[in-house]
Amino acid sequence: MARGGEPRRALAHDGELGAAVARAQEGDEAAFAVAYRLVQPGLLGYLRGLVGNDAEDVASDAWLEIARDLGRFTGDGAGFRGWTATIARHRALDHLRRQRVRPRSSVLEQDVLELPDPSSTHERALESISTEQALSLVHGLPRDQAEAVLLRVVVGLDGPAAARVLGKRPGAVRTAAYRGLKRLADQLGAAGVTDDGPGTLGEST
């Protein structure tokens, strides 16, 4: 079972991440390993939401590009997470085009519905369900809502950063994430989780 609170910990480590990235840009290999350790869990969870079991291969390709272009990056820890998510998303879309398949169902390593805001009514509604049930519901969302939820909750990006990854306006991403989370909470409150099995990320219902 995934551990709760992972996105909050990711946000708390932004200072450490920023310092590690700065050292890595100066050639410190150990610092690059620290940056990898802080970013990889959320990045892998996001990729599993896009490409399923091929996530680790896509993540490896993304990290090769991240390492190659590290000197070009400018920004802090939060910015680095956004930058790596953008690279990973591009590699995932390339992979999907090569495979000629839609994003598939997946198993995330984190509790994808652990929301950053502890006072959220949506969080309270979703806390009681298992990771498997959460994934089943996320996969039933329209793709824009599902990907916004994954970026905000799994990767831990704020609205503007998630918008940059998706190439959309921050307001549109906030709205998509809100509608997705509200839809999940409403489904739980109305009928609970069905036994139909996981769907495919991006399918509209």
Side-chain angles (χ1 to χ4, degrees), residues 16-122:
E16 180 184 358
L17 176 58
V21 170
R23 294 195 305 274
Q25 289 178 314
E26 297 173 353
D28 187 333
E29 294 183 3
F32 186 83
V34 171
Y36 175 89
R37 174 177 57 80
L38 293 173
V39 171
Q40 174 69 352
L43 201 66
L44 189 60
Y46 174 53
L47 287 172
R48 283 183 172 165
L50 295 178
V51 299
N53 292 332
D54 295 330
E56 291 190 6
D57 290 339
V58 174
S60 295
D61 290 341
W63 278 105
L64 286 174
E65 183 173 343
I66 291 163
R68 184 194 70 196
D69 295 341
L70 184 62
R72 301 179 186 178
F73 170 74
T74 58
D76 58 9
F80 185 75
R81 283 191 293 111
W83 182 66
T84 57
T86 299
I87 291 173
R89 184 174 191 263
H90 289 162
R91 297 290 71 75
L93 295 178
D94 287 344
H95 175 80
L96 291 171
R97 280 192 288 266
R98 287 194 302 269
Q99 298 297 319
R100 295 185 179 182
V101 297
R102 291 170 65 88
R104 293 166 294 182
S105 60
S106 58
V107 178
L108 304 186
E109 290 188 334
Q110 303 181 34
D111 186 347
V112 300
L113 296 175
E114 172 68 21
L115 306 183
D117 180 4
S119 65
S120 168
T121 55
H122 301 332

Side-chain angles (χ1 to χ4, degrees), residues 128-201:
S128 62
I129 67 174
S130 70
T131 300
E132 290 77 12
Q133 290 172 317
L135 290 171
S136 177
L137 293 175
V138 169
H139 291 144
L141 295 175
R143 180 168 181 173
D144 63 331
Q145 295 179 16
E147 198 165 359
V149 169
L150 289 170
L151 283 172
R152 294 295 303 275
V153 176
V154 176
V155 182
L157 301 183
D158 61 17
R164 286 192 293 272
V165 172
L166 296 174
K168 297 181 178 180
R169 292 177 290 103
V173 174
R174 283 194 299 270
T175 298
Y178 172 80
R179 288 177 176 171
L181 292 170
K182 184 176 187 300
R183 182 171 177 175
L184 297 178
D186 288 347
Q187 288 174 353
L188 287 172
V193 180
T194 68
D195 293 325
D196 294 334
T200 299
L201 178 61

